[in-house]
Amino acid sequence: MTLDNLLAALTEEGVTEIADDSVKFDPSIHQAVQTVPKDADHEADQVVSILQKGYKFKDRVIRPAMVVVAQ
């Protein structure tokens, strides 16, 4: 219950989560910490998985998402 209240308060103030995988890698919101070879399921420069969630405050990045990128 406490976590739900905290998340609701942060969302109300404009803090949002950067947590989309299977999107194109964007260095302004993602931090690539690992690369894997591209395959049939993942194109080049596509986020394969998220290792640590990232957060935005309105339009500013508070913490970039740590991701694995296909290359």
Side-chain angles (χ1 to χ4, degrees):
M1 182 172 20
T2 304
L3 179 61
D4 291 335
N5 288 337
L6 175 64
L7 293 176
L10 289 173
T11 303
E12 187 176 300
E13 293 299 321
V15 176
T16 57
E17 184 177 304
I18 303 170
D20 294 331
D21 51 350
S22 299
V23 297
K24 187 163 176 68
F25 175 73
D26 182 3
S28 65
I29 61 172
H30 297 122
Q31 179 181 0
V33 294
Q34 184 178 2
T35 60
V36 295
K38 68 179 183 175
D39 57 9
D41 296 333
H42 301 99
E43 298 175 3
D45 294 332
Q46 184 178 6
V47 175
V48 175
S49 66
I50 297 174
L51 302 176
Q52 185 179 35
K53 295 178 184 176
Y55 295 94
K56 281 184 174 183
F57 176 67
K58 299 186 180 175
D59 289 335
R60 296 187 65 184
V61 175
I62 297 172
R63 179 173 76 182
M66 293 174 62
V67 297
V68 177
V69 179
Q71 196 173 42

